[in-house]
Amino acid sequence: MKNLLLIAIFTISSGIYAQSIFEASRNGNLEEIKTLYKANNDIINSVDNKGFTPLILASYNDQPEVVTFLLENGANVNAKDLSGNTALMGVCFKGNLEISKMLVNNGTNVNQKNYNDATALIYASTFGHTEIAVFLIKNNADKTITDSRGNTALKHAQMQGNDDIVELLSK
C-alpha cells in the first residue's frame, strides 16, 4: 500500500513538472525551466498532449534564451509534434532567423518532412521569410522536395506572391 501511494505521488508530481515546463517554455521563464531541469533533467524532452516539446514551444514562441538552454542541455532538435512539425518548421512559419540559426547549428535536419511532406523551406517560402529561406538553402535545404500535394517551395512562394523567394528558388 505504501508503494502504491509513493507511485501515485510521483506520477502526480511528474505531471505537474511537465505542465510547468511547457508553460515556462512558452512564456520564456528560464529560471523556472532551470529549476525543473535540476529536479529532473529528463523533463527537457518531455512531450505534451499535442506532441509539443519544450524546444518546439520555446522556438515557436520566440524565446531564444530558453532555446539556448534547452539545446545546451540535450533537447532533441528533430522531435516532431503530432502533425510531424519540428521546432525548425515552427520557426519558419513564424519567421525568427536567430532561432532558426540556433536549431540548424545544433544539428536539426533541414530537410525533415512533416506528415504532409512539408519541409522548413516550404514553410519559409509560403510565409515569405526570405532571410530564413536563404539561410536554409546555404545549409543544404533541398529545393526539389514536394509536399503531399506535389508542390515545391518554389510553387508555394509563387502561390503566395513572395517574389523575392521565387527569385531565390528559381536560381
Side-chain angles (χ1 to χ4, degrees):
M1 184 65 158
K2 186 187 276 188
N3 287 342
L4 287 176
L5 181 59
L6 288 174
I7 291 170
I9 290 170
F10 175 76
T11 302
I12 291 168
S13 64
S14 294
I16 293 167
Y17 282 131
Q19 289 296 14
S20 297
I21 196 155
F22 299 126
E23 192 63 28
S25 297
R26 188 178 290 112
N27 295 324
N29 188 337
L30 184 56
E31 291 311 311
E32 183 176 351
I33 292 168
K34 288 179 179 180
T35 300
L36 293 167
Y37 179 74
K38 283 181 185 176
N40 175 8
N41 61 8
D42 290 334
I43 201 164
I44 211 149
N45 284 308
S46 55
V47 178
D48 74 4
N49 62 347
K50 294 180 182 175
F52 298 142
T53 64
L55 182 62
I56 290 172
L57 291 169
S59 298
Y60 183 80
N61 288 287
D62 299 323
Q63 304 297 342
E65 296 83 16
V66 173
V67 170
T68 297
F69 177 82
L70 294 170
L71 291 171
E72 287 174 350
N73 289 283
N76 179 356
V77 294
N78 291 310
K80 294 181 174 187
D81 68 15
L82 295 181
S83 297
N85 293 312
T86 64
L88 182 61
M89 290 174 192
V91 168
C92 290
F93 172 80
K94 294 283 290 239
N96 189 311
L97 179 62
E98 175 188 6
I99 294 177
S100 67
K101 287 180 177 181
M102 293 165 64
L103 295 168
V104 170
N105 292 337
N106 279 276
T108 194
N109 178 355
V110 297
N111 293 311
Q112 193 164 354
K113 297 179 181 182
N114 69 8
Y115 299 136
N116 289 318
D117 292 332
T119 64
L121 182 59
I122 287 174
Y123 278 117
S125 300
T126 300
F127 294 101
H129 301 299
T130 306
E131 290 180 326
I132 294 175
V134 168
F135 176 73
L136 292 173
I137 291 168
K138 286 181 181 177
N139 284 276
N140 303 313
D142 185 344
K143 299 186 289 187
T144 66
I145 292 174
T146 58
D147 64 14
S148 60
R149 293 184 177 158
N151 296 316
T152 62
L154 173 60
K155 182 65 177 174
H156 281 278
Q158 290 169 332
M159 290 188 292
Q160 297 302 316
N162 295 325
D163 296 334
D164 290 343
I165 297 176
V166 169
E167 184 179 331
L168 170 72
L169 296 173
S170 295
K171 296 177 183 177

